[in-house]
């Protein structure tokens, strides 16, 4: 039977309101209901100097061996964002605290917000899961057959993003064409990585190493800039 919870996604309670805050190792939440927060943090020892104030989103664990029930883990933080502890709990425990007896797929919501924010710059063609990570493949020239415009975006648990052009690489052989590439990317936030391809002629494989951006607004601006630069490459550089 297929698990209804995606192991690459994070979940949270379906609650009337929450206060999000970026912590040292990810996004932290505070539910406005004191009863909910007291229940979630009940196993954590607190004192006058350190009080549980926030929790993380819920991470999917393997199902419980005895009951077969889905398990989740979450972290508990003080008001300064330092971790005080963590808990493993059953699905039924969280559903009891959540409105409509359901959990919210926070990752799915965030991913849809990302797609909406970037739709003017291209389209998403693939979501690929890689070990404990996943990435979105985006074509910023709206042509999946033109690999020059294909980039990879990695959402992070803390609300930040990573972006690179590594899997869909491009190639150049002439020195003056390489100089054009340097001229186009000179002064930008992006780096170019060249790797010699050993064939019967001089040929270099070109990638753009991963960079990290803080949030969705910065991701949008970074994708806009990269789209502009790659369009210049397409028009001005003779690639192999």
């Amino acid at each position: 039977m297929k698990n209804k919870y995606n192991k690459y996604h994070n979940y949270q309670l379906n609650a009337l309101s929450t206060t999000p805050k970026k912590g040292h190792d990810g996004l932290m939440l505070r539910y406005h209901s004191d009863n909910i927060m007291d229940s979630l943090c009940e196993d954590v020892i607190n004192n006058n100097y350190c009080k549980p104030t926030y929790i993380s989103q819920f991470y999917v664990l393997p199902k419980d061996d005895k009951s077969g029930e889905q398990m989740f883990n979450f972290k508990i933080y003080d008001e300064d964002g330092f971790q005080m502890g963590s808990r493993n709990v059953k699905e039924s425990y969280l559903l009891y605290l959540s409105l409509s007896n359901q959990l919210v797929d926070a990752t799915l919501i965030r991913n849809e917000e990302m797609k909406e924010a970037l739709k003017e710059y291209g389209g998403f063609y693939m979501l690929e899961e890689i070990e404990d990570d996943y990435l979105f493949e985006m074509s910023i020239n709206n042509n999946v057959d033109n690999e020059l415009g294909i980039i990879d975006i990695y959402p992070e648990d803390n609300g930040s993003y990573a972006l690179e052009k590594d899997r869909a690489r491009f190639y150049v052989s002439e020195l003056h064409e390489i100089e054009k590439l340097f001229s186009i990317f000179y002064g930008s936030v992006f780096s170019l990585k060249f790797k010699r391809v050993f064939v019967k002629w001089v040929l270099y494989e070109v990638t753009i190493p991963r960079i990290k951006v803080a949030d969705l607004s910065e991701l949008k601006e970074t994708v806009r800039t990269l789209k502009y630069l790659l369009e210049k490459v397409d028009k001005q550089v003779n690639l192999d």
Side-chain angles (χ1 to χ4, degrees):
M1 183 177 178
K2 186 177 180 180
N3 194 332
K4 67 179 181 179
Y5 296 106
N6 188 321
K7 66 179 181 179
Y8 297 99
H9 288 201
N10 297 339
Y11 295 82
Q12 60 191 59
L13 299 180
N14 183 8
L16 293 176
S17 56
T18 60
T19 300
K21 180 179 180 180
K22 185 171 289 189
H24 301 291
D25 61 352
L27 182 69
M28 306 184 302
L29 298 172
R30 176 169 179 81
Y31 294 97
H32 287 191
S33 168
D34 290 337
N35 290 335
I36 289 178
M37 290 302 299
D38 289 343
S39 296
L40 292 170
C41 302
E42 63 182 0
D43 290 343
V44 176
I45 299 175
N46 65 89
N47 52 55
N48 294 332
Y49 304 101
C50 190
K51 181 179 179 180
T53 308
Y54 295 96
I55 67 165
S56 69
Q57 294 174 331
F58 307 127
Y59 309 107
V60 179
L61 297 176
K63 293 184 177 181
D64 181 69
D65 290 336
K66 294 183 178 179
S67 66
E69 189 172 347
Q70 182 64 60
M71 298 295 294
F72 292 88
N73 170 268
F74 63 93
K75 300 174 183 178
I76 301 169
Y77 305 94
D78 66 13
E79 61 181 349
D80 295 318
F82 293 101
Q83 184 176 338
M84 298 181 64
S86 66
R87 292 186 65 188
N88 293 345
V89 296
K90 293 182 178 179
E91 176 190 20
S92 57
Y93 175 82
L94 297 179
L95 294 181
Y96 175 77
L97 298 175
S98 187
L99 293 176
S100 304
N101 231 20
Q102 293 180 337
L103 297 181
V104 174
D105 188 332
T107 301
L108 182 62
I109 293 174
R110 185 197 61 189
N111 291 346
E112 291 303 314
E113 290 174 346
M114 179 188 70
K115 292 179 181 179
E116 179 66 22
L118 299 180
K119 67 180 182 181
E120 63 182 294
Y121 303 124
F124 290 88
Y125 292 96
M126 183 172 65
L127 166 64
E128 182 167 331
E129 298 171 348
I130 303 176
E131 296 180 354
D132 60 347
D133 202 355
Y134 69 96
L135 64 88
F136 286 94
E137 184 177 273
M138 181 183 184
S139 175
I140 54 180
N141 55 15
N142 279 316
N143 182 359
V144 71
D145 294 323
N146 184 350
E147 292 195 347
L148 180 62
I150 294 178
I151 62 174
D152 294 323
I153 298 175
Y154 297 80
E156 306 286 353
D157 288 342
N158 63 359
S160 64
Y161 298 85
L163 180 152
E164 68 182 4
K165 180 172 176 57
D166 181 74
R167 303 187 328 143
R169 305 168 182 187
F170 57 100
Y171 299 84
V172 62
S173 57
E174 300 294 333
L175 177 59
H176 64 277
E177 302 298 341
I178 293 176
E179 291 173 341
K180 290 180 184 178
L181 282 175
F182 279 123
S183 178
I184 290 171
F185 281 87
Y186 179 79
S188 75
V189 298
F190 303 101
S191 300
L192 295 175
K193 181 179 179 181
F194 293 83
K195 181 180 179 181
R196 176 71 188 273
V197 179
F198 291 96
V199 290
K200 293 182 179 180
W201 66 96
V202 177
L203 183 66
Y204 287 92
E205 175 187 86
V206 187
T207 58
I208 299 176
R210 184 178 298 199
I211 64 171
K212 292 191 175 184
V213 297
D215 51 33
L216 185 56
S217 62
E218 188 176 342
L219 175 66
K220 185 176 180 179
E221 179 61 24
T222 305
V223 170
R224 184 193 68 80
T225 302
L226 184 55
K227 176 181 174 69
Y228 170 75
L229 295 174
L230 290 177
E231 285 176 346
K232 290 186 69 173
V233 172
D234 195 30
K235 294 175 181 178
Q236 299 179 18
V237 182
N238 184 22
L239 300 177
D240 286 57

